[in-house]
């Protein structure tokens, strides 16, 4: 961590970058963005809450990921994810997201218990973001839609890939008063009924309200503070409830650093202890490739032809 901080401080003086703002969360017109993320979650739970938790992706979307393995009460989740974003226009962009994880679980109340290990592909999803109204003297409004095209589902220790398992709808707004930007988002996550070998599962629907604040320290660095109020309905198995309704309040802080005009890195930390104790750290590197149909593309092609 010390070396990372030194690296950031040195490059802060050397690189030229544009101002950071909430607008940078939406892909620019005809730009292709690539994001590589790493998530670490440490959780402890002795409740009857869901075995899943909700992660916010680099696209601003939300996905469910498993953090409880075989009823263990202490879990370490390490997730790797990849996102692609393309801006069709200055209002419409599409995105894709895929992830997998490693999970280490143990029962800390039993000194004789052994650490359990699980790894798997989690999901592949696609969606779109549309800016309904750009920010002027009044706030901007946007909508985000996505669906999970493929999900790895656990049917009592038998894992199967299922299609179109969830659908997400997000409505949001933001407005700025230099150097601060305020954002408000409301998200609904619907999970459909799934069946395999006479096992019927229905994950509870999720409702999320997340206000956040972005503070531009300088043209290179932005701090953000976020609250997430989550309500997760009961999960069902074969028509019977297997979990309780749960409510979570997550508190988060993060930093976005612009390495150059087309490169950013962000680090976020969040914590909750409402129904379970959970610490999360996310690291995301984003690279804006080029203007796919514009002048930058032909410059890149020309350079590589000359090298050849």
């Amino acid at each position: 961590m010390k070396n990372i901080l030194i690296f950031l401080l040195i490059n802060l003086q050397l690189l030229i970058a544009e101002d950071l703002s909430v607008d940078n969360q939406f892909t620019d017109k005809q730009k292709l963005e690539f994001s590589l993320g790493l998530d670490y979650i440490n959780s402890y739970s002795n409740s009857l809450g869901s075995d899943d938790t909700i992660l916010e992706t680099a696209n601003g979307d939300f996905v469910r990921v498993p953090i409880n393995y075989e009823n263990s009460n202490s879990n370490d989740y390490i997730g790797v994810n990849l996102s692609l974003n393309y801006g069709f226009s200055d209002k419409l962009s599409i995105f894709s997201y895929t992830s997998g994880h490693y999970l280490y679980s143990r029962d800390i109340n039993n000194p004789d218990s052994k650490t359990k290990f699980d790894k798997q592909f989690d999901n592949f999803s696609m969606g779109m973001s549309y800016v309904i109204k750009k920010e002027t003297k009044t706030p901007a409004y946007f909508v985000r839609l996505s669906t999970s095209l493929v999900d790895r589902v656990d049917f009592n220790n038998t894992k199967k890939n299922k299609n179109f398992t969830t659908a997400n709808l997000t409505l949001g707004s933001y407005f700025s008063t230099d150097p601060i930007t305020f954002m408000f988002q409301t998200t609904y996550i619907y999970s459909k009924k799934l069946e395999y070998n006479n096992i019927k599962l229905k994950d509870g629907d999720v409702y999320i309200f997340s206000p956040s604040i972005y503070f531009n320290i300088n043209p290179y660095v932005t701090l953000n503070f976020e609250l997430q109020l989550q309500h997760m309905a009961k999960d069902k198995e074969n028509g019977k409830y297997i979990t309780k309704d749960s409510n979570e309040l997550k508190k988060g802080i993060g930093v976005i650093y612009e390495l150059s005009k087309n490169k950013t890195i962000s680090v976020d930390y969040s914590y909750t202890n409402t129904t379970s104790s959970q610490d999360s750290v996310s690291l995301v590197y984003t690279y804006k490739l080029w203007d796919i149909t514009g002048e930058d593309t032909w410059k890149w092609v020309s350079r590589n032809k000359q090298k050849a």
Side-chain angles (χ1 to χ4, degrees):
M1 180 60 71
K2 182 179 179 181
N3 291 335
I4 293 176
L5 291 176
I6 293 174
F7 171 79
L8 293 179
L9 289 174
I10 293 174
N11 280 275
L12 183 62
Q13 305 299 322
L14 299 177
L15 298 173
I16 299 175
E18 297 175 346
D19 287 346
L20 295 177
S21 68
V22 171
D23 291 293
N24 293 115
Q25 292 193 2
F26 302 95
T27 309
D28 296 333
K29 181 179 179 180
Q30 296 179 348
K31 292 286 185 179
L32 180 64
E33 289 184 0
F34 162 91
S35 296
L36 181 63
L38 181 67
D39 298 299
Y40 171 73
I41 303 173
N42 174 259
S43 67
Y44 172 80
S45 176
N46 55 9
S47 68
L48 294 177
S50 174
D51 289 343
D52 298 338
T53 191
I54 305 298
L55 272 183
E56 187 171 3
T57 72
N59 311 306
D61 201 22
F62 294 92
V63 294
R64 296 178 68 132
V65 296
I67 56 165
N68 193 357
Y69 183 53
E70 295 183 357
N71 298 317
S72 300
N73 55 23
S74 180
N75 303 277
D76 291 289
Y77 169 98
I78 301 173
V80 180
N81 59 76
L82 174 67
S83 299
L84 290 175
N85 297 262
Y86 177 69
F88 272 104
S89 68
D90 55 357
K91 286 190 173 184
L92 176 65
S93 61
I94 62 171
F95 59 83
S96 65
Y97 174 88
T98 187
S99 68
H101 76 260
Y102 295 87
L103 184 62
Y104 301 87
S105 305
R106 59 194 180 279
D107 184 354
I108 61 176
N109 295 323
N110 181 4
D112 297 325
S113 66
K114 296 182 179 180
T115 299
K116 304 166 187 175
F117 172 73
D118 179 53
K119 64 177 180 178
Q120 70 173 43
F121 157 82
D122 285 329
N123 61 62
F124 172 68
S125 61
M126 291 192 69
M128 55 156 284
S129 296
Y130 182 75
V131 179
I132 301 170
K133 175 189 171 299
K134 287 191 171 184
E135 182 181 16
T136 53
K137 293 183 180 180
T138 56
Y141 299 97
F142 64 90
V143 61
R144 185 181 295 115
L145 297 169
S146 68
T147 184
S148 181
L149 300 181
V150 183
D151 241 328
R152 192 71 169 168
V153 182
D154 190 348
F155 293 90
N156 289 342
N157 297 323
T158 299
K159 297 178 180 180
K160 292 292 179 181
N161 290 337
K162 291 292 183 178
N163 305 114
F164 301 103
T165 57
T166 63
N168 295 14
L169 169 64
T170 296
L171 298 175
S173 176
Y174 64 87
F175 63 94
S176 305
T177 172
D178 193 42
I180 299 175
T181 300
F182 301 90
M183 175 180 274
F184 303 90
Q185 297 185 83
T186 300
T187 300
Y188 170 63
I189 304 175
Y190 167 78
S191 299
K192 76 174 185 179
K193 296 179 182 178
L194 304 173
E195 185 173 354
Y196 175 76
N197 277 357
N198 297 320
I199 299 174
K200 299 178 181 179
L201 300 178
K202 173 64 172 75
D203 287 337
D205 295 344
V206 181
Y207 305 85
I208 304 171
F209 175 66
S210 51
S212 53
I213 298 175
Y214 293 80
F215 180 74
N216 291 330
I217 296 179
N218 57 42
Y220 309 92
V221 181
T222 297
L223 288 179
N224 66 280
F225 305 90
E226 181 178 24
L227 292 178
Q228 282 187 18
L229 292 82
Q230 301 180 3
H231 173 76
M232 189 178 293
K234 305 171 186 175
D235 296 339
K236 278 185 178 182
E237 181 176 327
N238 295 328
K240 295 182 179 180
Y241 291 113
I242 57 175
T243 64
K244 297 180 179 179
D245 287 341
S246 63
N247 297 295
E248 295 283 356
L249 175 61
K250 285 188 177 181
K251 299 158 282 247
I253 183 172
V255 60
I256 306 170
Y257 176 64
E258 190 158 341
L259 300 169
S260 67
K261 184 178 180 180
N262 60 347
K263 300 174 186 176
T264 61
I265 188 169
S266 64
V267 181
D268 294 278
Y269 169 78
S270 65
Y271 172 75
T272 180
N273 63 350
T274 310
T275 59
S276 63
S277 177
Q278 186 180 115
D279 295 272
S280 304
V281 178
S282 296
L283 175 66
V284 177
Y285 170 80
T286 299
Y287 180 60
K288 190 176 296 184
L289 294 177
W290 54 61
D291 185 339
I292 293 298
T293 60
E295 183 181 353
D296 291 346
T297 303
W298 299 112
K299 287 181 178 178
W300 182 86
V301 172
S302 177
R303 285 198 302 269
N304 281 273
K305 280 185 177 179
Q306 291 174 3
K307 290 179 182 178

